[in-house]
Structures are given as structure tokens and as C-alpha cells.
Amino acid sequence: MSSLTGDSLADKPISLEKRWNVTTIVDQIFYFLTLILAIGVGFVLTWVAYEIVGLAFPAIQGYGLSFLTSTTWDPVRNIYGVLPQVYGTLVTSFIALLIAVPFGVGIAIFLSEDFVPVSIRTPIAFAIELLAAVPSVVYGLWGIFVFIPFLRPFYLFLHNNFGWIPLFSTPPRGNSLLTLGIVLSIMIVPTIIAISRSTLISLPRDLRQGALALGATRWEAILRVLVPAGFSGIVGSIMLALGRALGETMAAAMLVGNANRITPSLLAPGATIASLIASQFGEAGRAQVAALMYSGVVLMVMTLLVNISAEVIIRRFQNIE
């Protein structure tokens, strides 16, 4: 019996060592696998950028930076400028953020705190996640057949009563910068809600309990403790939503009106870079394809600047030691 007991005791450290070796090998395999995948993602992004810049190089060489300041887009004379599309992209994205951010963050707070029972919060969160999965072309069709007729009386009211303001000076026709901005806000608000809600839920409960123990009201604890603690995640959700708004294609092509002009009126048709590429790429010649690829390079640079800004803001508000 003693020999059996001694043998069993001697075997235990060996088995633990074997388990430790297996765990170490698995960890190393997982590390190198994720490293290869991360490098692969960077390689794919570099490859895409290289191909787009290569196709756009004739236009980049021919137009230079004047491509960004010109308002003429004439395929007949091969004169191209993308300033109206850059303007439309920025305006519609700004409108989308102006509407989506308050609603998105507010709904995220509502779903992360105990304002209603879990049996009510869970179906709401599930429905919001389903909204994020709806294809953009469906939003475009819904906007044409449902949303534009619904908004037309409101647009007429704005034009008739506030037409002296440049923002509402154009007689409404349905397709406009404001219409696309509102639809984009509906499309990006699920992203803001989902990521912001996950950020707020992941915060330690000690933050809530500590704030309440110090005498803070419920809303003081939310606005002065929880939201600042999860600010980096909220900013990340907003920037991710902005990236989608900047690059949205089908809904933009169907709702913005595709008018090559710059106007202060939000009720007037306009154009975005994505809608320009979607509406003209199929019939474009070689020179026009190069100009469209150049506009794609401009859009890539814009989204890159958004990501850099998001990283700077997040690092600014994170406690990095």
C-alpha cells in the first residue's frame, strides 16, 4: 500500500507539469495564430489601398489637389471635381451624428440601468440589434416609399414658415441632404446603442454603489461617474458609427438626389462621394473611372482621419500609465 501511495504521489507533479506544458503550447499557438491574422488584416488593407491608388493615379497626376476644390463634374470634357460630394458627405454625416448620438447614448443608459425589468429590456435590445442587420438598400427603399411621403408635410412647414433661413430656403422635393441625414441616423444609432450599452454594463458595480453611498442621486451617479468612466467606449461607438455614415452607399444613392452642387439649404438635393461612385461607376470610361477612384481615395483618407481622431480621443480619456 505504501508503494502504491508513493507512486501516486510521485505521479501528481509529473501530470501537472504535462498539463502546464500543453497549456503553454496552446497559448503559443493561439498567440502566433492571432499575430498572423492581425498581420493579414493589415496586409489586406494595404493591398486595397494600393490597388485603389493605382487605379486613381492618372487622375491624381492630372488633377492634383484641384480635384478637391473644383465643383465641376463633366465626363464629356473630362473635367472632374469632388468638392460638392465632399460637402454632401460631411453635412449628411454631421446631421446623422447630431440626431443619433443623443438618442443612442440615452437609450444605452436606459438599457444598462434598472429603469425597467429585464423582461422588457431584453426584447428592446434584441430589436435594436436587428436594426443593425437590415441591409442599406432596404433602408433606401423604405426611405423612398415611406419616409419621404411622411416627411413632406414637415418639409413644407419648414419652408413656408422658415424659408427666410438659408437652411430651409429650397422648396422641398423629397430627396435631400436632410432626408439622407435622418435615414443615416436611423442606420447608425443601433451601433452607438450596442457598443455604449456593452461599455456601461461592463463597468464595475462598485462605481455605482460608491457614488450612491457618497450621497449622489441616481442621475448624478450616471452622468458624473458612469458616463465619464465609459467615455472611451462611447466615443469609440460614435466614431465607428461616423465611419459607416461616411461610407454609406446604397441609401445615399437612393435618397440624396445626386445633384452636383453646393447649397446651404438642407432641403435641397445633394451628393456624397459614395453615391457618386455607386451611380456613375457602371457607365464610366477610363478617365472617369480614374476620377471615381480618386474620390474613393479621398473617402478612405476621410475615414482614416476619423479613426485617428477616435484613437487620440480614446487615449486622451483613458487612464494610460
Side-chain angles (χ1 to χ4, degrees):
M1 293 296 292
S2 60
S3 61
L4 293 176
T5 305
D7 293 340
S8 62
L9 290 175
D11 291 340
K12 286 185 178 180
I14 297 176
S15 61
L16 290 176
E17 184 178 357
K18 288 182 179 179
R19 291 180 182 179
W20 184 83
N21 290 333
V22 171
T23 304
T24 304
I25 294 173
V26 172
D27 290 341
Q28 290 178 350
I29 293 174
F30 180 77
Y31 169 77
F32 285 109
L33 180 61
T34 52
L35 179 62
I36 293 172
L37 293 176
I39 295 174
V41 170
F43 173 76
V44 170
L45 179 61
T46 304
W47 185 22
V48 171
Y50 173 79
E51 292 293 335
I52 293 177
V53 172
L55 292 173
F57 187 75
I60 296 174
Q61 191 176 24
Y63 302 107
L65 294 179
S66 63
F67 184 77
L68 302 176
T69 59
S70 175
T71 59
T72 302
W73 188 276
D74 189 352
V76 177
R77 296 183 296 166
N78 283 332
I79 300 175
Y80 301 102
V82 79
L83 183 60
Q85 287 75 25
V86 173
Y87 171 79
T89 301
L90 295 177
V91 169
T92 53
S93 299
F94 176 77
I95 295 172
L97 286 186
L98 191 65
I99 298 173
V101 170
F103 280 98
V105 176
I107 295 174
I109 292 173
F110 173 78
L111 294 177
S112 61
E113 299 297 319
D114 297 328
F115 290 102
V116 293
V118 178
S119 59
I120 298 177
R121 280 182 289 164
T122 302
I124 295 175
F126 181 72
I128 291 172
E129 292 176 358
L130 286 180
L131 283 176
V134 176
S136 60
V137 66
V138 175
Y139 280 107
L141 292 173
W142 174 77
I144 291 175
F145 294 107
V146 178
F147 202 56
I148 289 179
F150 174 77
L151 289 178
R152 188 172 287 114
F154 176 67
Y155 287 173
L156 290 173
F157 172 80
L158 290 177
H159 176 68
N160 295 332
N161 294 275
F162 302 98
W164 51 274
I165 302 176
L167 292 176
F168 311 117
S169 59
T170 304
R173 297 175 182 174
N175 293 54
S176 63
L177 296 172
L178 183 58
T179 300
L180 177 59
I182 296 174
V183 173
L184 285 179
S185 68
I186 298 173
M187 296 177 66
I188 67 176
V189 74
T191 302
I192 299 176
I193 294 173
I195 300 178
S196 299
R197 175 174 175 265
S198 299
T199 300
L200 294 174
I201 289 177
S202 64
L203 294 176
R205 296 188 61 86
D206 294 343
L207 292 177
R208 298 175 177 85
Q209 296 172 356
L212 296 175
L214 291 174
T217 64
R218 186 176 192 178
W219 281 107
E220 286 177 343
I222 292 173
L223 298 178
R224 296 187 180 183
V225 178
L226 300 181
V227 172
F231 187 74
S232 61
I234 295 174
V235 170
S237 70
I238 294 172
M239 292 303 176
L240 186 62
L242 176 59
R244 181 179 183 186
L246 289 172
E248 180 52 46
T249 303
M250 291 308 301
M254 299 169 72
L255 297 175
V256 76
N258 297 315
N260 187 45
R261 60 184 178 182
I262 297 176
T263 173
S265 177
L266 300 179
L267 302 180
T272 66
I273 297 177
S275 69
L276 174 71
I277 296 173
S279 61
Q280 298 195 13
F281 193 84
E283 301 175 355
R286 180 174 299 179
Q288 190 175 357
V289 167
L292 292 173
M293 289 297 100
Y294 193 1
S295 63
V297 172
V298 174
L299 184 59
M300 286 185 62
V301 172
M302 292 172 62
T303 55
L304 179 61
L305 292 176
V306 168
N307 291 331
I308 293 174
S309 302
E311 186 67 22
V312 170
I313 295 173
I314 291 173
R315 288 183 178 274
R316 169 66 178 81
F317 288 95
Q318 278 181 336
N319 294 323
I320 302 178
E321 297 181 358

